Structure formats: C-alpha cells, structure tokens
Amino acid sequence: MGEMAGIQLGVIGALFLSVASSVSIVICNKALMSNLGFPFATTLTSWHLVVTFCTLHVAHRFNLFESKSVDMKTVILFGLLNGISIGFLNLSLGFNSIGFYQMTKLAIIPFTVLLETLFLNKNFSQKIKFALFLLLVGVGIASVTDMQLNGLGTILSLLAILTTCVGQILTNTIQKRLNVSSTQLLYQSAPFQAAVLFISGPLVDQFLTKKNVFAYKYNPLVVVKIHFCSISPSNLPKETDIWHLFVVLQTFILLSCVIAVAVNFSTFMVIGKTSPVTYQVLGHLKTCLVLLLGYTLLHDPFSMRNIVGILVAMGGMVLYSYFCTQESKKKHSDDLPLKGSQVMNDLV
C-alpha cells in the first residue's frame, strides 16, 4: 500500500508541475513575443532544449540521477522525431488560421487513441471515450473561432498530428519497455531534439515571421524601435529606460529557458507515469487555464462562449479522471487474486 501511495503521489506531483510550468511558459512567451518583439518561437525552443540538456548534465555530474545507456539508434530517431514534430506544429500554426490550428491540437487525442488501439492493442472503454468527446467539444467551443482551410496548411497539420502522436506514444513505450526513467530518456534525447531545431528553427521562423533570427540585433536599439517607434524625437526615452527594457528582454528569454526545463522534465514524466492520452487531456486543462489567466491578468477578450466551453471541458476532464481511477482500481483488484495464486503455486 505504501508503494502504491508513493506512486500516486509521484503522478500527482508530475501533473501539478506540468500544469504550473506550462501555463507559466505560455504567459512568459506571450509577453516575450507580443510585448517585447521577439517572434522566433522555434529557435527559442531549441535554446530551451539546450538549457534542459545542460541542466540535466550538471545534475548528472552531481550524481542526482544515474545515466542509463539506451540503444543509440533508438535515441537518435526518437530525438529527431520529437524535434520534427515541434517544427511541424509551428508550421501548422503559421500556415493555418488560429481556429484550424486549435482543431489540429484537438485531433491529437482521437488519433492517439486510434494508433494505440491499432498497434498496441490498448482498449479504451466507452466511458473513457465519452469523457474525451465531452472534453474535446468543450475545448473546441472555448478556443476554436475561425476555420480557414488551405492545402499546404492541411498537409502540415496532418504531419504535425502524426509526428506528435507517434512521438508521445514512443515516450511512454520506450520508458516502459527499456526500463528507463523520464530523466534518463530526456537527458539522452534532448541533444538530438535541439540539433533538429537549431538547423530548422531559423528557416521555420523566417517562413513564419519574414524575419531573420541571425539579423536580429540583441541590443537596446531594437527595444527602442519596438516600443517607441511612434514617439516623436523630442520625447525619446532616457538612456536608463532603454537599458531597463533591454534587460527585461534578456530576462524574459532566460526565464523562458529556465521554465522550459520544468516543462520538458514534467512532460516526459507525465507521459511515462500515465499515458499519452492523459498528457493530452492535461494539455487541454492548460488551455483552459491560459484562457482564464489571459482574461484575468492580461485582460484578453472573454465571452459567454468561452465560459460555457471551459465548463464543458472541465466536466469532461472530471469524468475522465473519475473513470480512469475506477478502471485502475478494478484492474488492481482483479490482479490481486492472480498474484495470490501465483504465490501459493510457488510455495507448493
């Protein structure tokens, strides 16, 4: 019982860390890109992964966890796939409307269920499917607005869905079949994810923003152009104000990278301890929280439609959690007689 309670506590901790860090990084990145004029999301993600690897390397050097060798081919392919999936998601956002991009994210859950059913022989009960359906309807009502289709955007969305689903399923499967922890897998795969995004990030960002990350001047003059371009020369800010804004820009970039360590760590932990579907459900909880925090902290527009959608989505999440807990208890109770009979056979 003590071991079971410890496992449950670990899962709860991973879920809480994932929600807290993800919501924090969304707010941080929104301020960084919208208010401070740094639009290079894919390149920023590559920096996130580099900082994550460096942090884990330091932790490993201080013996905070043990490194475990995994088949290098598996790690490389896994790392490359996860890096590519991030690139496709960002391209999908760039070449589609916000509404269609949100539909792309919603489609990840049913595609994951389909892939796990077909290739891993995993069974999802009708109750679980109903809860997921209710969740997706709620998030769709709350977040999907315009729906504009185009050929290239649709292809990119399908590739984003496929690579994301396979990557998250592999995150769970590799940890369980190769008996590696989330920390060990992240430590070994992060360099390859970062390498993919280091190479593709500037190209993806240039496609999306029409700006070159290498031509971006990381100095106070950029901040002045962003914030004070409409101010007359007589009212230009003081030099101290310029440097203050520059320091704020650098601080937000650093803060984003630090928070990303917790995001990446908790992502691997949640998928390893639960399942890819549960991680996606958690992701939609984050979406609802971001909408609420955007309204309360950033004064984003909020309507009755958002409120209804969030309430429906929350209802789906509660049902999903309840049904998963009930099925887990039933499976645990069904396994006890089997373990007891095995012990008796061993004694005989």
Side-chain angles (χ1 to χ4, degrees):
M1 290 293 293
E3 184 181 352
M4 194 68 183
I7 293 173
Q8 291 177 346
L9 191 63
V11 171
I12 292 171
L15 295 174
F16 177 79
L17 179 61
S18 180
V19 171
S21 59
S22 296
V23 172
S24 299
I25 203 169
V26 167
I27 294 173
C28 178
N29 287 351
K30 185 171 183 179
L32 184 60
M33 295 175 190
S34 300
N35 300 331
L36 295 172
F38 186 86
F40 309 108
T42 314
T43 303
L44 181 63
T45 305
S46 70
W47 297 350
H48 289 170
L49 288 161
V50 170
V51 173
T52 298
F53 173 74
C54 292
T55 303
L56 291 177
H57 185 67
V58 171
H60 178 248
R61 296 287 292 181
F62 279 93
N63 296 319
L64 297 179
F65 73 94
E66 292 183 5
S67 178
K68 185 173 182 179
S69 60
V70 182
D71 176 56
M72 188 54 64
K73 183 179 178 181
T74 300
V75 171
I76 292 174
L77 291 175
F78 172 73
L80 294 178
L81 178 65
N82 276 332
I84 290 169
S85 72
I86 294 171
F88 277 137
L89 281 170
N90 286 346
L91 284 171
S92 174
L93 175 60
F95 283 90
N96 290 302
S97 63
I98 297 295
F100 192 80
Y101 174 71
Q102 288 295 342
M103 288 299 296
T104 299
K105 292 173 67 176
L106 291 177
I108 291 174
I109 283 184
F111 267 82
T112 303
V113 170
L114 178 63
L115 290 175
E116 289 196 309
T117 302
L118 291 176
F119 297 104
L120 298 179
N121 296 319
K122 187 172 182 178
N123 294 318
F124 293 86
S125 67
Q126 293 301 318
K127 291 180 179 179
I128 293 290
K129 290 177 181 177
F130 171 73
L132 292 174
F133 173 75
L134 196 64
L135 163 69
L136 295 178
V137 169
V139 176
I141 293 172
S143 63
V144 176
T145 51
D146 58 322
M147 280 285 291
Q148 299 174 12
L149 302 178
N150 66 80
L152 179 59
T154 302
I155 293 172
L156 290 170
S157 292
L158 289 173
L159 290 172
I161 292 168
L162 180 61
T163 52
T164 301
C165 290
V166 174
Q168 291 181 0
I169 290 172
L170 285 176
T171 302
N172 178 270
T173 305
I174 290 174
Q175 290 185 55
K176 290 182 176 177
R177 292 191 178 178
L178 300 184
N179 195 27
V180 294
S181 68
S182 55
T183 309
Q184 291 167 336
L185 182 59
L186 178 59
Y187 178 55
Q188 298 212 28
S189 63
F192 301 104
Q193 295 183 58
V196 170
L197 295 175
F198 253 120
I199 296 169
S200 64
L203 298 175
V204 172
D205 288 334
Q206 188 153 10
F207 266 122
L208 301 179
T209 65
K210 309 303 180 187
K211 297 177 182 178
N212 187 347
V213 67
F214 298 112
Y216 186 85
K217 303 295 184 183
Y218 300 89
N219 58 51
L221 183 60
V222 174
V223 182
V224 172
K225 287 180 179 178
I226 293 168
H227 289 272
F228 303 106
C229 58
S230 60
I231 296 179
S232 62
S234 60
N235 295 321
L236 281 174
K238 299 177 181 178
E239 186 177 350
T240 53
D241 294 333
I242 295 173
W243 279 105
H244 173 71
L245 287 170
F246 173 60
V247 170
V248 169
L249 173 65
Q250 304 300 318
T251 301
F252 267 86
I253 291 176
L254 180 60
L255 180 62
S256 179
C257 290
V258 171
I259 298 173
V261 176
V263 172
N264 292 326
F265 176 71
S266 61
T267 296
F268 276 60
M269 187 182 292
V270 168
I271 295 175
K273 288 183 176 293
T274 58
S275 70
V277 172
T278 298
Y279 175 73
Q280 284 298 322
V281 170
L282 193 68
H284 292 306
L285 170 61
K286 300 169 195 173
T287 300
C288 294
L289 290 175
V290 167
L291 287 172
L292 289 171
L293 289 173
Y295 172 70
T296 55
L297 298 180
L298 305 176
H299 306 293
D300 290 343
F302 208 68
S303 65
M304 182 58 66
R305 173 177 172 170
N306 297 127
I307 296 172
V308 171
I310 288 173
L311 290 176
V312 173
M314 290 295 186
M317 291 176 204
V318 170
L319 287 177
Y320 177 80
S321 301
Y322 175 75
F323 293 146
C324 283
T325 303
Q326 293 300 109
E327 291 183 8
S328 179
K329 287 180 179 178
K330 185 176 183 301
K331 183 180 178 182
H332 182 64
S333 61
D334 290 344
D335 288 343
L336 286 178
L338 294 175
K339 291 181 179 178
S341 62
Q342 184 178 359
V343 170
M344 291 299 294
N345 289 333
D346 291 340
L347 290 174
V348 173

